[in-house]
Amino acid sequence: MDLFNKLTNDKGPLGKHSSVAHGYFAFPKLEGEIGPRMKFRGKEVLNWSLNNYIGLANHPEVRKADAEGAAKYGLAFPMGARMMSGNSNLIEEFEAQISDFVKKEDTMLLNFGYQGMVSIIDAVLSRHDVVIYDSESHACIVDGVRLHQGKRFVFPHNDIENLKKQLERATKIVQETKGGILVITEGVFGMAGDLGKLKEIVDLKKQYQFRLLVDDAHGFGTMGPTGAGAGEHLGVQDGIDIYFSTFAKSMASIGAFVSSTEQVIGFLRYNTRSQIFAKTLPMALVVGGMKRLELLRTQPQLRENLWNVVRNLQQGLKDAGFDIGKTESPVTPVYLKGDESEAAQLIIDLRENYSIFCSIVIYPVVPKGVLELRIIPTAMHTLEDVKQTIKAFQEVAYKLQNKLYTQKLSNISI
């Protein structure tokens, strides 16, 4: 069979919906200045799907730093992988600033978070080692674990008792292989908004010998007294052996970092293949990143504005009778009951008739018969935005419960 026949006939679990989803449910185009209100198909919508937690994307100081960095360095410099020709004093200065902020000895910048996580897992583990990870870990963790040639175990989401069982299995294996154990979880889980059981996992180090890698993409900048993340929030930053985060959420940029001891980061610099064999971050992004970190540290009111919106939104949704799960972070899921066709009609209704844009998650990401509206609040949203959204959600939930979405509504079209 021709290899491409498979790609044509079996488009994959997401691609099979592309003929009806593309451009509206998948790959939609939001236009205009980044903010709570943007244009979708030429119409202004209230947008709850922005990775811009503390509002840095269009902060005037950030825009100025980005522009000055691009004007001075362009988007090409430095030309090359960092090991060969892409290093700079500014990169090292930025790394030192991050290390100080997250209270780790050393830091390595990464050109992309997804690639970085995959490559970190690959670099740290050998076939003699065992990796144990949370079942709801991000795809970048899952893909990194797939590269591992040794044993890998998964524990049900935040199930510490089951994690103990996996640690016992792993301990027996490494006693024979002379390897080590790596546990991987997240600080904030990006779909449900709940926190990883970091304190409980760190406490397990008293019983078992392992190292802990935490992906804190949604916690960095939003959680903790200074915004240094879920580890700081839970008081266990010292117990996290490898701390990872991306710049794509609170920092509203591109790139990522990994922080640990000097020895571990020194090893990763010379063994993380996604960095050794790929171009380093453009200098303009480094300059912009340093300004973003400065504002994150010096303007706590941005984080306070975010949490004011979060508290009002989440409490308002609960008061209106909505199930928002166990979120302890700005990530705000709203769980409803319905099928795929009802999900499509509900989203069309929200966007076309209520001018509200948010993401919807369906099976197999959530259980069959469950729909999840996923809201990402930012510091730029207002309490009036919150009220408008809750009112709209109440109306579409009423329609869903009364089966008004079981057939296409005549006043809705895409």
Side-chain angles (χ1 to χ4, degrees):
M1 182 181 74
D2 184 350
L3 174 66
F4 284 7
N5 287 345
K6 175 182 66 176
L7 309 186
T8 303
N9 298 328
D10 180 7
K11 297 181 180 180
L14 296 177
K16 69 181 182 181
H17 301 294
S18 61
S19 60
V20 294
H22 195 83
Y24 197 91
F25 304 107
F27 297 92
K29 299 172 185 174
L30 287 164
E31 300 174 308
E33 287 289 319
I34 297 172
R37 297 188 182 271
M38 298 180 71
K39 289 287 185 68
F40 177 62
R41 291 169 25 113
K43 178 182 178 181
E44 184 179 87
V45 291
L46 174 54
N47 184 9
W48 294 100
S49 292
L50 287 175
N51 288 329
N52 184 33
Y53 281 121
I54 61 174
L56 294 181
N58 267 335
H59 192 288
E61 291 187 43
V62 167
R63 292 292 292 265
K64 183 172 182 287
D66 287 348
E68 289 177 351
K72 183 173 182 179
Y73 297 103
L75 292 177
F77 181 80
M79 282 300 294
R82 190 171 172 194
M83 181 181 284
M84 301 302 293
S85 60
N87 200 17
S88 77
N89 290 331
L90 279 179
I91 288 176
E92 293 179 352
E93 182 181 341
F94 190 22
E95 289 174 332
Q97 292 175 1
I98 294 172
S99 297
D100 180 67
F101 184 57
V102 300
K103 301 296 185 291
K104 295 296 180 187
E105 288 181 5
D106 204 356
T107 291
M108 180 174 72
L109 287 189
L110 306 167
N111 45 26
F112 281 101
Y114 199 109
Q115 287 178 318
M117 176 57 79
V118 170
S119 198
I120 288 164
I121 295 170
D122 178 54
V124 168
L125 296 173
S126 78
R127 63 187 178 87
H128 302 291
D129 302 319
V130 178
V131 61
I132 307 171
Y133 63 102
D134 189 287
S135 63
E136 292 191 12
S137 294
H138 189 269
C140 65
I141 295 172
V142 174
D143 285 353
V145 168
R146 283 174 175 172
L147 292 177
H148 179 45
Q149 296 179 353
K151 293 290 185 180
R152 53 182 186 259
F153 301 130
V154 60
F155 63 97
H157 178 52
N158 273 343
D159 187 335
I160 298 301
E161 288 304 311
N162 189 273
L163 173 56
K164 289 181 183 179
K165 294 179 182 178
Q166 306 310 325
L167 283 166
E168 289 168 3
R169 295 173 68 190
T171 299
K172 292 178 182 177
I173 291 171
V174 298
Q175 285 172 349
E176 296 181 4
T177 64
K178 309 303 181 185
I181 302 171
L182 179 67
V183 173
I184 309 176
T185 190
E186 298 191 29
V188 174
F189 286 86
M191 293 305 299
D194 56 336
L195 305 186
K197 300 287 188 180
L198 302 186
K199 189 176 186 306
E200 292 85 344
I201 295 174
V202 170
D203 283 345
L204 290 178
K205 288 184 175 183
K206 299 170 185 175
Q207 298 175 249
Y208 306 95
Q209 186 175 6
F210 65 91
R211 294 294 185 172
L212 175 61
L213 165 58
V214 173
D215 177 348
D216 202 24
H218 290 271
F220 179 76
T222 67
M223 305 297 296
T226 71
E232 180 188 57
H233 174 74
L234 295 169
V236 293
Q237 187 73 347
D238 288 346
I240 298 173
D241 299 294
I242 305 176
Y243 181 82
F244 167 94
S245 187
T246 174
F247 298 145
K249 305 296 189 291
S250 292
M251 299 273 271
S253 186
I254 290 292
F257 70 89
V258 57
S259 299
S260 187
T261 64
E262 290 182 5
Q263 290 79 8
V264 169
I265 296 302
F267 173 86
L268 290 176
R269 283 199 179 99
Y270 282 84
N271 293 277
T272 308
R273 292 170 66 83
S274 66
Q275 310 308 303
I276 296 171
F277 299 104
K279 188 179 184 295
T280 191
L281 275 179
M283 196 56 56
L285 293 180
V286 174
V287 171
M290 293 172 75
K291 173 55 70 172
R292 286 165 169 81
L293 182 61
E294 175 193 325
L295 294 175
L296 199 158
R297 300 180 77 158
T298 62
Q299 296 195 13
Q301 69 272 19
L302 297 174
R303 193 168 61 259
E304 291 166 6
N305 290 346
L306 164 66
W307 277 99
N308 185 41
V309 172
V310 170
R311 284 189 291 268
N312 279 274
L313 174 67
Q314 293 183 354
Q315 189 60 53
L317 287 166
K318 287 191 284 188
D319 290 346
F322 287 102
D323 176 8
I324 64 170
K326 298 179 181 179
T327 183
E328 301 172 73
S329 70
V331 178
T332 305
V334 178
Y335 298 105
L336 304 169
K337 293 182 179 180
D339 59 27
E340 291 182 11
S341 62
E342 290 174 310
Q345 292 301 309
L346 185 151
I347 282 296
I348 295 170
D349 198 12
L350 269 179
R351 293 179 183 179
E352 302 301 324
N353 297 324
Y354 295 93
S355 298
I356 291 177
F357 189 101
C358 68
S359 302
I360 192 164
V361 183
I362 60 176
Y363 177 83
V365 180
V366 291
K368 208 168 187 63
V370 174
L371 310 178
E372 177 190 336
L373 295 171
R374 181 171 178 263
I375 305 174
I376 302 295
T378 74
M380 308 310 291
H381 283 97
T382 67
L383 298 188
E384 192 56 43
D385 295 336
V386 169
K387 292 178 183 177
Q388 177 186 339
T389 300
I390 294 173
K391 183 175 185 296
F393 277 25
Q394 288 176 303
E395 294 184 15
V396 298
Y398 174 84
K399 294 177 186 178
L400 182 65
Q401 291 163 6
N402 287 275
K403 300 299 179 182
L404 299 182
Y405 291 131
T406 53
Q407 57 185 349
K408 187 172 181 179
L409 302 183
S410 60
N411 65 328
I412 300 174
S413 62
I414 61 174

